[in-house]
Amino acid sequence: MNTAEQTGAAQQEQIEALKAKLLHDIRRSVYVYRIDCGGCNGCEIEIFASLTPLFDVERFGIKVVPSPRHADVLVYTGPMTRAMRLPALRAYRAAPDPKIVVAYGACGCSGGIFHDSYAVWGGAENLFPVDLYIPGCPPSPYATIYGFATVLGLLEQKIRGQQHRESEEEKGVELTVPAGINPNLRKEIERTARRLCGYWQGKRIAADYFKLLAESPDDVLDYRLEGYLSRKGDPRLTEVYRAIHRIYREWVNSRA
Ligand code: SF4
């Protein structure tokens, strides 16, 4: 093996290692970009069927994206017509490395019924290395999901999956509203806390604030609140408490 061949082999090994890492260490949804390279549209219909609520491929974290620049996986359908060769190559180059290439349907795998036409190049493998072949004319949504699940290691993840049980800490809190608090005021405070901090955390903050209200006579309320916030030392929490306390004070003043 000469030096150029050794460098090529080393690069190839590196690419394979990066792909394996992408497939098994990915901790988020997998982004898929689809390129129609001149098929009859049958494959597209089955891919879209996989996205419908009946098959719902997104439940496995497989999401279709509108640009190859965001894609982890490129899916090539159709027999690679001459007109689509350059756009197909452009999409391949635009997708960040490491990327997984899927040849979809009989046409994507080998040119299918168009394989001997003067106008086609044959399967996607004639242009770039293919990692997964999903055969069929067209492949059913079952075959599509199975193909993706296999290549992404999802089956292994499902088998080893653990059931998560909600701890006491994760459970939601019950709001105990002090006597005399108007329901509209309660709603406004809770809604503001949730808007600023999210549904789960906002409700906890509102519950803590109502507890403070219930335990503090009005003349020491501001003092206790400031003491609590300085102990916490969290500027974001301070902002949220001040916002809901302002709502409370405005309500008290409007009744005076
Ligand atoms: S594989 Fe079949 S369904 Fe898919 S593009 Fe080719 S002819 Fe159409």
Side-chain angles (χ1 to χ4, degrees), residues 39-44 78-79 104-108 113-114 136-139:
C40 73
N41 223 27
C43 283
E44 273 60 44
Y104 189 88
C107 291
I113 55 171
F114 308 107
C137 181

Side-chain angles (χ1 to χ4, degrees), residues 43-173:
C43 283
E44 273 60 44
I45 288 171
E46 294 304 310
I47 289 174
F48 290 125
S50 315
L51 294 165
T52 57
L54 185 60
F55 297 100
D56 193 14
V57 76
E58 284 197 2
R59 74 197 139 115
F60 298 112
I62 299 168
K63 291 181 76 71
V64 176
V65 289
S67 163
R69 294 193 188 282
H70 305 156
D72 304 301
V73 178
L74 296 172
V75 177
Y76 287 93
T77 66
M80 194 63 70
T81 58
R82 284 169 185 268
M84 279 306 293
R85 179 176 164 272
L86 275 181
L89 277 170
R90 260 189 236 129
Y92 182 78
R93 290 194 185 132
D97 285 323
K99 56 203 160 214
I100 304 299
V101 175
V102 177
Y104 189 88
C107 291
C109 293
S110 64
I113 55 171
F114 308 107
H115 72 280
D116 55 356
S117 162
Y118 73 95
V120 306
W121 282 78
E125 66 180 7
N126 291 329
L127 265 69
F128 22 66
V130 170
D131 299 289
L132 171 73
Y133 295 86
I134 302 182
C137 181
S140 68
Y142 299 110
T144 308
I145 293 172
Y146 182 76
F148 276 103
T150 307
V151 77
L152 298 171
L154 299 179
L155 295 182
E156 201 187 339
Q157 285 178 27
K158 282 261 167 209
I159 291 164
R160 291 197 190 158
Q162 292 175 349
Q163 185 152 13
H164 177 74
R165 292 202 187 281
E166 200 175 52
S167 65
E168 283 305 315
E169 174 68 11
E170 288 170 314
K171 282 189 181 149
V173 288

